[in-house]
Amino acid sequence: QVQLVESGGGLVQAGGSLRVSCTASGRTFSRYTMGWFRQAPGKEREFVGHIRWSGGSDYYTYYDNSVKGRFTISRDNFKNTVYLQMNGLKSEDTAVYYCAAAEPRPVTATMRRWHEYDYWGQGTQVTVSS
């Protein structure tokens, strides 16, 4: 069983930056795909981005178009932690942000859908004031 604990949410002005962290338990963290999703009030949970193991010590990231160029996902396997760095925040980025972990999947899995993930954090609120 993997537990995910998030931290770092808060209130920020539009145009500002915020970093959210997610620390995982588990001995095989380095092979997990770590994803970020968000859910705004009255809306469905939506994909933000992920960082996915591609073999050896290589990873690649993928972002939704709505955050591409503004958000960056990184990971520190020694700390079992994944980060979501958010720059150029907009009011429409206001949501509860969730990290999620998935055990290795076939390369055909998109890892952009919530049901492809096995474990979830409790969520952290990010509010962007305009």
Side-chain angles (χ1 to χ4, degrees):
Q1 187 71 14
V2 174
Q3 291 185 326
L4 303 176
V5 179
E6 300 164 9
S7 60
L11 174 66
V12 64
Q13 289 188 334
S17 299
L18 201 62
R19 190 178 78 164
V20 181
S21 303
C22 174
T23 300
S25 62
R27 292 176 292 178
T28 57
F29 172 80
S30 63
R31 297 191 176 188
Y32 292 154
T33 295
M34 299 301 296
W36 287 96
F37 290 75
R38 65 186 181 186
Q39 188 167 19
K43 295 188 177 180
E44 294 186 351
R45 189 170 301 191
E46 64 177 14
F47 171 77
V48 173
H50 68 227
I51 183 165
R52 188 172 185 179
W53 180 61
S54 57
S57 59
D58 296 330
Y59 296 85
Y60 68 87
T61 53
Y62 185 92
Y63 302 94
D64 185 78
N65 285 337
S66 63
V67 305
K68 194 176 296 182
R70 299 188 298 122
F71 290 11
T72 302
I73 298 173
S74 60
R75 65 194 297 160
D76 183 337
N77 291 334
F78 291 106
K79 296 182 179 180
N80 277 16
T81 299
V82 63
Y83 304 97
L84 176 65
Q85 176 67 45
M86 301 179 285
N87 299 328
L89 283 160
K90 306 175 182 179
S91 58
E92 52 263 44
D93 294 319
T94 294
V96 176
Y97 283 72
Y98 298 90
C99 74
E103 298 182 6
R105 293 282 194 274
V107 294
T108 53
T110 69
M111 306 312 296
R112 300 195 293 268
R113 296 170 291 191
W114 66 266
H115 59 83
E116 294 178 303
Y117 289 80
D118 302 302
Y119 311 103
W120 289 84
Q122 80 284 1
T124 187
Q125 177 70 46
V126 172
T127 303
V128 184
S129 63
S130 56

